[in-house]
Amino acid sequence: MRTLQLEQSGNFKVLNLREMAFIHLDIRCLYTLLICTAFGSTLSSNAEIKVNPPQDFEIVDPGYLGYLYLQWQPPVSLDNFNKCTVEYELKYRNVDSESWRTIITKNLLYKDGFDLNKGVEAKIHTLLPRQCTNGSEVQSSWSEATYWISSQGNLDTKIQDMDCVYYNWQYLLCSWKPGMGAHLDSNYSLYYWYEGLDHALECIDYIQAKGKNIGCSFPYLESSDYKDFYICVNGSSESQLIRPSYFIFQLQNIVKPLPPDYLSLTMKNSGVNLKWSIPRGPIPAKCLIYEIEFTEDDTAWVTTTIENEIYVTRTSNESLQLCFLVRSKMNIYCADDGIWSEWSDELCWKGDIWKEILLFFLVPFVLASLFVLVVTCLLLYKQRNLLKMGHVPATLLTQCLDSTNGKLKIEDGPTIPVGQQVHKESTGKEMAFCHSPPLFLLPAGNVAMSL
């Protein structure tokens, strides 16, 4: 098969298929050559771009009990990248940590807190951005640094059971126990620092037992919230070295509020509305969560709420007793964690309360009435016995005469003056005697005392 091709002279030239295939092959090779040349020049240009790691990389302890400086200097030979912004990738961790923290920065200094009970390790390298390297990122080799606190003293001389509580977001108290291996002459000192202080401070109000420091009551800590709070407790002894202990807190995470108070109950149909007052102190209402323990007869359960009021449906209208306890804690909007307050005073509601009130007042009233009745009966019984005796006792007669101005009148008989003994023989009749202001008459006789 043949084809026609126009020559420069204007004449046509006949080409066969073999010649046409060779021409197409030449064009493909040309394209491939051009692409390889361009890609190869890019690779060769990138391969020639190198950058050195940062210089003088070190970890510096300024004396802030765990707040360290990681600092370095720019790499050498950056003259070819004056128009580029050089960045640094920094990785660091405590020695026993499984993961690295990574920071990309343009600065020559980075600060962070570390647990100085363990070693610190860090590494850094230089990064050249893509716009400076024809579209590909260039990295230097790593530069590394480590930091360790001198491990003086045996491990069992460190304090144990360190506990810090920020009471009501106002008063910080920390306490500890001496190390198991510490000698009796050992004593401990506490130092603290947080961002805003010029230097670490020693506790000025130690809590002591048997003359030894076992805790610290801190003064008012201005602007210390939402910052790392660093503590070091070290010790001294004439006979041994004491291993220091380091701690890091965020104070809002160890706040223990006051318990709620002024609980009140309101019965509504088949439920109970429980309300309480927000704990006193500087903690905002929006920062609190509440836990309610609800007991209905012999059944109890716990629920939580962010409001200072809750409605609880009773399981039975025949409930005889409902009791409530409430406590508070910092919520997730203001702290990562917190400490529950103590429980409030228990508030209970009891069924058939009117019956109980009635019994409360009725029983004492009945007992008192019975007592009065018994005493009255005894007095009447005694009076009756006296009437049957047939004469008037001198003491009773004297009392009667005193109340009648010294005159005693006997019916059908003479008036007897004061001081005369009145008896049966004086009139020959039985005589009544005066026992009380009213007139008493003897049923069997006609003698009476007139008052």
Side-chain angles (χ1 to χ4, degrees):
M1 185 176 182
R2 298 176 180 273
T3 185
L4 299 176
Q5 183 179 10
L6 182 64
E7 296 181 345
Q8 292 182 354
S9 60
N11 298 324
F12 287 96
K13 180 180 180 181
V14 178
L15 298 177
N16 56 30
L17 290 176
R18 184 177 296 178
E19 292 173 336
M20 290 177 63
F22 180 76
I23 293 172
H24 286 296
L25 182 60
D26 288 344
I27 294 174
R28 288 181 181 178
C29 291
L30 179 61
Y31 285 147
T32 303
L33 181 62
L34 291 174
I35 292 172
C36 291
T37 303
F39 183 70
S41 68
T42 301
L43 291 177
S44 62
S45 62
N46 286 343
E48 295 174 358
I49 298 176
K50 293 183 180 181
V51 65
N52 293 315
Q55 302 181 85
D56 304 326
F57 179 48
E58 60 180 342
I59 302 173
V60 178
D61 186 355
Y64 295 153
L65 313 180
Y67 189 69
L68 304 181
Y69 294 171
L70 289 79
Q71 59 189 34
W72 58 92
Q73 295 298 322
V76 296
S77 303
L78 282 179
D79 296 337
N80 297 330
F81 307 104
N82 290 333
K83 296 182 180 180
C84 293
T85 301
V86 178
E87 295 180 335
Y88 305 97
E89 182 179 11
L90 172 67
K91 292 180 177 290
Y92 59 91
R93 65 178 180 180
N94 277 110
V95 169
D96 64 344
S97 177
E98 296 180 356
S99 59
W100 295 82
R101 293 193 63 183
T102 301
I103 301 295
I104 295 179
T105 179
K106 300 174 184 177
N107 301 321
L108 300 176
L109 174 68
Y110 189 77
K111 306 174 184 179
D112 205 352
F114 297 87
D115 181 2
L116 293 188
N117 297 300
K118 311 163 187 175
V120 178
E121 58 182 348
K123 57 184 180 180
I124 190 172
H125 63 187
T126 311
L127 298 178
L128 292 180
R130 297 178 184 275
Q131 60 268 25
C132 299
T133 58
N134 297 325
S136 62
E137 187 176 76
V138 175
Q139 304 175 355
S140 73
S141 58
W142 290 100
S143 180
E144 299 180 354
T146 58
Y147 180 79
W148 293 83
I149 288 289
S150 176
S151 56
Q152 64 177 17
N154 294 328
L155 190 62
D156 59 359
T157 61
K158 296 175 58 172
I159 63 166
Q160 54 183 340
D161 299 337
M162 180 68 163
D163 182 38
C164 289
V165 180
Y166 201 15
Y167 289 97
N168 208 33
W169 217 336
Q170 292 176 300
Y171 314 104
L172 176 62
L173 295 178
C174 289
S175 60
W176 61 82
K177 294 180 182 178
M180 294 293 293
H183 294 171
L184 293 178
D185 68 336
S186 301
N187 203 4
Y188 295 91
S189 302
L190 181 145
Y191 298 86
Y192 66 95
W193 181 87
Y194 60 90
E195 192 172 0
L197 298 180
D198 295 332
H199 57 275
L201 301 176
E202 184 180 0
C203 174
I204 59 174
D205 187 9
Y206 283 109
I207 302 170
Q208 294 188 330
K210 299 180 180 179
K212 304 296 183 181
N213 298 334
I214 60 167
C216 177
S217 176
F218 291 81
Y220 173 70
L221 301 170
E222 185 177 0
S223 302
S224 59
D225 303 328
Y226 299 99
K227 296 178 180 178
D228 286 338
F229 192 89
Y230 298 87
I231 291 177
C232 172
V233 181
N234 58 20
S236 60
S237 171
E238 294 182 357
S239 54
Q240 63 180 162
L241 295 174
I242 303 297
R243 179 78 65 92
S245 300
Y246 295 89
F247 306 90
I248 305 175
F249 299 101
Q250 283 214 337
L251 297 187
Q252 74 277 2
N253 293 335
I254 55 173
V255 170
K256 182 177 182 177
L258 292 174
D261 52 13
Y262 302 112
L263 275 66
S264 63
L265 282 177
T266 305
M267 303 301 297
K268 291 185 178 180
N269 299 326
S270 62
V272 181
N273 194 70
L274 175 67
K275 192 173 183 179
W276 56 90
S277 296
I278 297 171
R280 300 180 303 276
I283 303 177
K286 65 179 182 180
C287 289
L288 291 171
I289 189 173
Y290 304 96
E291 187 173 71
I292 299 95
E293 184 177 284
F294 173 42
T295 304
E296 182 177 10
D297 295 336
D298 296 329
T299 304
W301 65 89
V302 175
T303 185
T304 56
T305 178
I306 60 174
E307 303 293 337
N308 63 322
E309 185 176 6
I310 190 172
Y311 181 81
V312 179
T313 303
R314 290 183 289 169
T315 58
S316 172
N317 291 331
E318 303 295 328
S319 301
L320 298 179
Q321 179 169 287
L322 306 173
C323 290
F324 295 88
L325 293 169
V326 184
R327 62 181 181 175
S328 57
K329 179 183 176 182
M330 294 281 286
N331 61 33
I332 60 174
Y333 302 107
C334 297
D336 296 330
D337 199 359
I339 302 173
W340 284 109
S341 72
E342 302 297 329
W343 287 104
S344 67
D345 294 334
E346 187 179 55
L347 178 64
C348 293
W349 174 90
K350 295 182 179 180
D352 297 330
I353 189 169
W354 291 111
K355 292 182 180 179
E356 292 189 7
I357 294 175
L358 185 61
L359 290 175
F360 179 80
F361 289 102
L362 184 60
V363 171
F365 177 76
V366 170
L367 292 176
S369 299
L370 288 175
F371 176 77
V372 171
L373 182 60
V374 170
V375 171
T376 304
C377 291
L378 289 175
L379 290 175
L380 291 175
Y381 179 76
K382 184 176 181 181
Q383 178 180 335
R384 183 179 178 184
N385 288 339
L386 289 174
L387 290 174
K388 289 181 179 180
M389 289 174 62
H391 68 275
V392 181
T395 55
L396 293 178
L397 180 60
T398 302
Q399 293 175 4
C400 185
L401 292 175
D402 290 341
S403 63
T404 59
N405 296 322
K407 299 293 183 178
L408 182 63
K409 182 180 180 180
I410 304 176
E411 293 183 1
D412 299 330
T415 300
I416 302 174
V418 178
Q420 256 182 327
Q421 185 176 3
V422 180
H423 50 81
K424 184 175 180 181
E425 288 74 18
S426 63
T427 61
K429 300 180 180 180
E430 290 185 3
M431 184 189 73
F433 62 90
C434 180
H435 179 69
S436 60
L439 178 65
F440 285 85
L441 297 177
L442 286 175
N446 59 354
V447 180
M449 288 182 289
S450 177
L451 304 181

PDB file of all heavy atoms in Angstrom, residues 167-171 257-259 261 278-285 288:
ATOM      1  N   TYR A 167      -9.324  23.826  97.419  1.00  0.00           N
ATOM      2  CA  TYR A 167     -10.632  23.884  98.059  1.00  0.00           C
ATOM      3  C   TYR A 167     -11.414  25.122  97.607  1.00  0.00           C
ATOM      4  O   TYR A 167     -10.958  26.255  97.789  1.00  0.00           O
ATOM      5  CB  TYR A 167     -10.480  23.883  99.579  1.00  0.00           C
ATOM      6  CG  TYR A 167     -10.037  22.547 100.124  1.00  0.00           C
ATOM      7  CD1 TYR A 167      -8.699  22.293 100.395  1.00  0.00           C
ATOM      8  CD2 TYR A 167     -10.948  21.518 100.346  1.00  0.00           C
ATOM      9  CE1 TYR A 167      -8.278  21.067 100.888  1.00  0.00           C
ATOM     10  CE2 TYR A 167     -10.546  20.285 100.842  1.00  0.00           C
ATOM     11  CZ  TYR A 167      -9.209  20.069 101.105  1.00  0.00           C
ATOM     12  OH  TYR A 167      -8.804  18.842 101.583  1.00  0.00           O
ATOM     13  N   ASN A 168     -12.572  24.839  97.008  1.00  0.00           N
ATOM     14  CA  ASN A 168     -13.517  25.876  96.589  1.00  0.00           C
ATOM     15  C   ASN A 168     -12.874  26.928  95.686  1.00  0.00           C
ATOM     16  O   ASN A 168     -13.303  28.083  95.668  1.00  0.00           O
ATOM     17  CB  ASN A 168     -14.161  26.545  97.811  1.00  0.00           C
ATOM     18  CG  ASN A 168     -15.533  27.081  97.502  1.00  0.00           C
ATOM     19  OD1 ASN A 168     -16.272  26.520  96.693  1.00  0.00           O
ATOM     20  ND2 ASN A 168     -15.892  28.188  98.130  1.00  0.00           N
ATOM     21  N   TRP A 169     -11.826  26.523  94.951  1.00  0.00           N
ATOM     22  CA  TRP A 169     -11.134  27.439  94.034  1.00  0.00           C
ATOM     23  C   TRP A 169     -10.566  28.647  94.787  1.00  0.00           C
ATOM     24  O   TRP A 169     -10.416  29.737  94.259  1.00  0.00           O
ATOM     25  CB  TRP A 169     -12.058  27.910  92.920  1.00  0.00           C
ATOM     26  CG  TRP A 169     -11.363  28.065  91.592  1.00  0.00           C
ATOM     27  CD1 TRP A 169     -10.039  28.270  91.367  1.00  0.00           C
ATOM     28  CD2 TRP A 169     -11.963  28.001  90.299  1.00  0.00           C
ATOM     29  NE1 TRP A 169      -9.769  28.341  90.031  1.00  0.00           N
ATOM     30  CE2 TRP A 169     -10.936  28.188  89.347  1.00  0.00           C
ATOM     31  CE3 TRP A 169     -13.265  27.821  89.857  1.00  0.00           C
ATOM     32  CZ2 TRP A 169     -11.177  28.198  87.977  1.00  0.00           C
ATOM     33  CZ3 TRP A 169     -13.489  27.829  88.494  1.00  0.00           C
ATOM     34  CH2 TRP A 169     -12.476  28.014  87.560  1.00  0.00           C
ATOM     35  N   GLN A 170     -10.185  28.424  96.073  1.00  0.00           N
ATOM     36  CA  GLN A 170      -9.682  29.510  96.908  1.00  0.00           C
ATOM     37  C   GLN A 170      -8.415  29.149  97.668  1.00  0.00           C
ATOM     38  O   GLN A 170      -7.489  29.952  97.736  1.00  0.00           O
ATOM     39  CB  GLN A 170     -10.756  29.931  97.922  1.00  0.00           C
ATOM     40  CG  GLN A 170     -11.967  30.608  97.311  1.00  0.00           C
ATOM     41  CD  GLN A 170     -13.025  30.918  98.349  1.00  0.00           C
ATOM     42  OE1 GLN A 170     -13.538  30.019  99.018  1.00  0.00           O
ATOM     43  NE2 GLN A 170     -13.345  32.185  98.510  1.00  0.00           N
ATOM     44  N   TYR A 171      -8.389  27.941  98.260  1.00  0.00           N
ATOM     45  CA  TYR A 171      -7.295  27.581  99.156  1.00  0.00           C
ATOM     46  C   TYR A 171      -6.662  26.274  98.697  1.00  0.00           C
ATOM     47  O   TYR A 171      -7.335  25.247  98.640  1.00  0.00           O
ATOM     48  CB  TYR A 171      -7.813  27.421 100.592  1.00  0.00           C
ATOM     49  CG  TYR A 171      -8.722  28.545 101.030  1.00  0.00           C
ATOM     50  CD1 TYR A 171     -10.102  28.351 101.102  1.00  0.00           C
ATOM     51  CD2 TYR A 171      -8.202  29.797 101.338  1.00  0.00           C
ATOM     52  CE1 TYR A 171     -10.940  29.382 101.493  1.00  0.00           C
ATOM     53  CE2 TYR A 171      -9.034  30.830 101.718  1.00  0.00           C
ATOM     54  CZ  TYR A 171     -10.404  30.621 101.799  1.00  0.00           C
ATOM     55  OH  TYR A 171     -11.233  31.644 102.166  1.00  0.00           O
ATOM     56  N   PRO A 257     -15.287  21.722  95.301  1.00  0.00           N
ATOM     57  CA  PRO A 257     -16.247  22.739  95.741  1.00  0.00           C
ATOM     58  C   PRO A 257     -16.828  22.409  97.115  1.00  0.00           C
ATOM     59  O   PRO A 257     -16.656  21.310  97.652  1.00  0.00           O
ATOM     60  CB  PRO A 257     -17.336  22.692  94.663  1.00  0.00           C
ATOM     61  CG  PRO A 257     -16.792  21.839  93.560  1.00  0.00           C
ATOM     62  CD  PRO A 257     -15.782  20.928  94.188  1.00  0.00           C
ATOM     63  N   LEU A 258     -17.554  23.383  97.657  1.00  0.00           N
ATOM     64  CA  LEU A 258     -18.357  23.145  98.843  1.00  0.00           C
ATOM     65  C   LEU A 258     -19.603  22.360  98.451  1.00  0.00           C
ATOM     66  O   LEU A 258     -20.048  22.434  97.305  1.00  0.00           O
ATOM     67  CB  LEU A 258     -18.764  24.470  99.490  1.00  0.00           C
ATOM     68  CG  LEU A 258     -17.647  25.305 100.114  1.00  0.00           C
ATOM     69  CD1 LEU A 258     -18.205  26.641 100.578  1.00  0.00           C
ATOM     70  CD2 LEU A 258     -17.003  24.573 101.273  1.00  0.00           C
ATOM     71  N   PRO A 259     -20.198  21.618  99.385  1.00  0.00           N
ATOM     72  CA  PRO A 259     -21.444  20.912  99.045  1.00  0.00           C
ATOM     73  C   PRO A 259     -22.602  21.892  98.920  1.00  0.00           C
ATOM     74  O   PRO A 259     -22.601  22.955  99.554  1.00  0.00           O
ATOM     75  CB  PRO A 259     -21.645  19.973 100.229  1.00  0.00           C
ATOM     76  CG  PRO A 259     -20.910  20.603 101.361  1.00  0.00           C
ATOM     77  CD  PRO A 259     -19.738  21.313 100.752  1.00  0.00           C
ATOM     78  N   ASP A 261     -26.289  23.495  99.622  1.00  0.00           N
ATOM     79  CA  ASP A 261     -27.055  23.573 100.855  1.00  0.00           C
ATOM     80  C   ASP A 261     -28.445  24.130 100.573  1.00  0.00           C
ATOM     81  O   ASP A 261     -28.806  24.391  99.433  1.00  0.00           O
ATOM     82  CB  ASP A 261     -26.327  24.404 101.916  1.00  0.00           C
ATOM     83  CG  ASP A 261     -25.900  25.763 101.398  1.00  0.00           C
ATOM     84  OD1 ASP A 261     -26.374  26.164 100.317  1.00  0.00           O
ATOM     85  OD2 ASP A 261     -25.097  26.445 102.063  1.00  0.00           O
ATOM     86  N   ILE A 278     -26.741  27.153  95.104  1.00  0.00           N
ATOM     87  CA  ILE A 278     -25.408  26.997  94.529  1.00  0.00           C
ATOM     88  C   ILE A 278     -24.371  27.150  95.636  1.00  0.00           C
ATOM     89  O   ILE A 278     -24.505  28.025  96.496  1.00  0.00           O
ATOM     90  CB  ILE A 278     -25.182  28.042  93.426  1.00  0.00           C
ATOM     91  CG1 ILE A 278     -26.184  27.809  92.286  1.00  0.00           C
ATOM     92  CG2 ILE A 278     -23.757  27.998  92.901  1.00  0.00           C
ATOM     93  CD1 ILE A 278     -26.192  28.903  91.261  1.00  0.00           C
ATOM     94  N   PRO A 279     -23.347  26.307  95.680  1.00  0.00           N
ATOM     95  CA  PRO A 279     -22.331  26.423  96.745  1.00  0.00           C
ATOM     96  C   PRO A 279     -21.727  27.822  96.800  1.00  0.00           C
ATOM     97  O   PRO A 279     -21.487  28.458  95.775  1.00  0.00           O
ATOM     98  CB  PRO A 279     -21.278  25.373  96.343  1.00  0.00           C
ATOM     99  CG  PRO A 279     -22.024  24.385  95.516  1.00  0.00           C
ATOM    100  CD  PRO A 279     -23.071  25.167  94.788  1.00  0.00           C
ATOM    101  N   ARG A 280     -21.474  28.279  98.010  1.00  0.00           N
ATOM    102  CA  ARG A 280     -20.888  29.600  98.190  1.00  0.00           C
ATOM    103  C   ARG A 280     -19.442  29.601  97.702  1.00  0.00           C
ATOM    104  O   ARG A 280     -18.754  28.596  97.757  1.00  0.00           O
ATOM    105  CB  ARG A 280     -20.930  29.994  99.668  1.00  0.00           C
ATOM    106  CG  ARG A 280     -22.329  30.047 100.244  1.00  0.00           C
ATOM    107  CD  ARG A 280     -22.301  30.446 101.710  1.00  0.00           C
ATOM    108  NE  ARG A 280     -21.481  29.544 102.510  1.00  0.00           N
ATOM    109  CZ  ARG A 280     -21.909  28.400 103.012  1.00  0.00           C
ATOM    110  NH1 ARG A 280     -23.151  28.000 102.775  1.00  0.00           N
ATOM    111  NH2 ARG A 280     -21.113  27.638 103.729  1.00  0.00           N
ATOM    112  N   GLY A 281     -18.970  30.761  97.240  1.00  0.00           N
ATOM    113  CA  GLY A 281     -17.583  30.888  96.812  1.00  0.00           C
ATOM    114  C   GLY A 281     -17.467  31.454  95.415  1.00  0.00           C
ATOM    115  O   GLY A 281     -18.451  31.848  94.781  1.00  0.00           O
ATOM    116  N   PRO A 282     -16.239  31.483  94.870  1.00  0.00           N
ATOM    117  CA  PRO A 282     -15.988  32.133  93.578  1.00  0.00           C
ATOM    118  C   PRO A 282     -16.288  31.278  92.356  1.00  0.00           C
ATOM    119  O   PRO A 282     -16.135  31.752  91.232  1.00  0.00           O
ATOM    120  CB  PRO A 282     -14.488  32.443  93.654  1.00  0.00           C
ATOM    121  CG  PRO A 282     -13.927  31.335  94.499  1.00  0.00           C
ATOM    122  CD  PRO A 282     -14.995  31.019  95.516  1.00  0.00           C
ATOM    123  N   ILE A 283     -16.690  30.022  92.529  1.00  0.00           N
ATOM    124  CA  ILE A 283     -16.928  29.155  91.374  1.00  0.00           C
ATOM    125  C   ILE A 283     -18.207  29.601  90.672  1.00  0.00           C
ATOM    126  O   ILE A 283     -19.278  29.626  91.282  1.00  0.00           O
ATOM    127  CB  ILE A 283     -17.039  27.683  91.793  1.00  0.00           C
ATOM    128  CG1 ILE A 283     -15.787  27.245  92.545  1.00  0.00           C
ATOM    129  CG2 ILE A 283     -17.267  26.794  90.577  1.00  0.00           C
ATOM    130  CD1 ILE A 283     -15.846  25.830  93.063  1.00  0.00           C
ATOM    131  N   PRO A 284     -18.136  29.950  89.380  1.00  0.00           N
ATOM    132  CA  PRO A 284     -19.359  30.357  88.665  1.00  0.00           C
ATOM    133  C   PRO A 284     -20.352  29.201  88.563  1.00  0.00           C
ATOM    134  O   PRO A 284     -19.967  28.030  88.515  1.00  0.00           O
ATOM    135  CB  PRO A 284     -18.829  30.760  87.273  1.00  0.00           C
ATOM    136  CG  PRO A 284     -17.363  30.966  87.444  1.00  0.00           C
ATOM    137  CD  PRO A 284     -16.936  30.044  88.538  1.00  0.00           C
ATOM    138  N   ALA A 285     -21.632  29.563  88.540  1.00  0.00           N
ATOM    139  CA  ALA A 285     -22.673  28.536  88.447  1.00  0.00           C
ATOM    140  C   ALA A 285     -22.524  27.693  87.186  1.00  0.00           C
ATOM    141  O   ALA A 285     -22.810  26.496  87.188  1.00  0.00           O
ATOM    142  CB  ALA A 285     -24.047  29.190  88.497  1.00  0.00           C
ATOM    143  N   LEU A 288     -20.358  24.248  87.312  1.00  0.00           N
ATOM    144  CA  LEU A 288     -20.657  23.175  88.251  1.00  0.00           C
ATOM    145  C   LEU A 288     -21.578  22.130  87.635  1.00  0.00           C
ATOM    146  O   LEU A 288     -22.439  22.438  86.817  1.00  0.00           O
ATOM    147  CB  LEU A 288     -21.316  23.744  89.505  1.00  0.00           C
ATOM    148  CG  LEU A 288     -20.420  24.596  90.410  1.00  0.00           C
ATOM    149  CD1 LEU A 288     -21.242  25.276  91.488  1.00  0.00           C
ATOM    150  CD2 LEU A 288     -19.330  23.748  91.038  1.00  0.00           C
TER     151      LEU A 288
END
